[in-house]
């Protein structure tokens, strides 16, 4: 932990976790073991960051967010309140994730993308660069093998 950083009351850094210069961990927020919070990053109150997760510089993670294990959030990104980000998700530079968004396992979101409030993005979905996804949207990818199964009507 850098001497210019703050861990608020009830906040906790996991084992072998790092907290960069001028970063803040809010009240009752927790990071997992070996997580890395880069300089000039703010994690607001009541947020959980998983194990082996990296949050790059100049990012903002708002209150009541849950981020899973092995997630990478690149610089200048914003994750809004009540978002749920599952395991192995990559969020690239300058991405805005709205309130109450659900990102399932292995989702990739590329640069300069905006995801609206109350959006659900399913497992293994890729969202391209400069995309804007509106509010109250559901995006699910379908595994190729699912298309091969016959439809059985009873």
């Amino acid at each position: 932990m850098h001497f210019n950083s703050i861990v608020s009351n009830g906040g906790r850094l996991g084992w072998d976790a790092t907290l960069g210069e001028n970063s803040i961990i809010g009240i009752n927020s927790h990071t997992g073991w070996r997580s890395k919070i880069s300089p000039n990053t703010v994690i607001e109150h009541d947020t959980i960051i998983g194990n082996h997760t990296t949050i790059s510089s100049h990012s903002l993670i708002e209150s009541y967010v849950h981020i899973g294990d092995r997630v990478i959030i690149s610089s200048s990104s914003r994750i809004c309140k009540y978002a749920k980000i599952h395991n192995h998700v990559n969020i690239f530079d300058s991405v805005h994730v709205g309130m109450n968004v659900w990102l399932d396992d292995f989702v990739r979101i590329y640069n300069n993308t905006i995801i609206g409030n109350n959006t659900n993005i399913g497992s293994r979905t890729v969202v391209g660069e400069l995309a804007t996804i509106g509010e109250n949207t559901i995006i699910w990818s379908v595994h190729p093998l699912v298309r091969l199964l016959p439809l059985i009507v009873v």
Side-chain angles (χ1 to χ4, degrees):
M1 183 172 124
H2 195 274
F3 71 92
N4 283 345
S5 297
I6 298 171
V7 177
S8 300
N9 291 338
R12 186 177 71 222
L13 282 177
W15 177 80
D16 204 24
T18 60
L19 183 62
E21 182 179 6
N22 299 319
S23 292
I24 298 171
I25 303 286
I27 296 170
N28 296 324
S29 290
H30 305 259
T31 68
W33 52 282
R34 291 194 172 157
S35 59
K36 180 182 176 188
I37 310 302
S38 295
N40 304 306
T41 296
V42 175
I43 298 173
E44 292 184 352
H45 65 86
D46 298 295
T47 292
I48 298 172
I49 310 293
N51 299 325
H52 297 279
T53 291
T54 300
I55 301 175
S56 295
S57 64
H58 300 93
S59 292
L60 170 63
I61 312 298
E62 292 186 3
S63 306
Y64 307 106
V65 171
H66 184 267
I67 298 174
D69 297 338
R70 299 184 189 281
V71 171
I72 298 172
I73 299 175
S74 294
S75 63
S76 302
S77 293
R78 180 178 181 170
I79 312 297
C80 292
K81 290 181 180 179
Y82 307 108
K84 172 94 169 140
I85 300 173
H86 282 257
N87 302 323
H88 303 279
V89 172
N90 284 350
I91 297 174
F92 293 89
D93 291 337
S94 301
V95 171
H96 176 94
V97 176
M99 286 179 50
N100 201 33
V101 168
W102 178 286
L103 302 178
D104 212 347
D105 295 335
F106 299 101
V107 169
R108 302 286 182 265
I109 301 172
Y110 287 93
N111 300 342
N112 302 304
T113 295
I114 298 170
I115 299 174
N117 298 336
N118 305 309
T119 296
N120 187 330
I121 299 180
S123 184
R124 300 184 187 279
T125 301
V126 176
V127 178
E129 193 170 345
L130 298 170
T132 299
I133 298 172
E135 294 185 358
N136 305 310
T137 303
I138 298 174
I139 299 174
W140 285 93
S141 60
V142 177
H143 192 281
L145 292 179
V146 173
R147 292 185 210 135
L148 299 176
L149 300 175
L151 179 62
I152 300 172
V153 179
V154 180

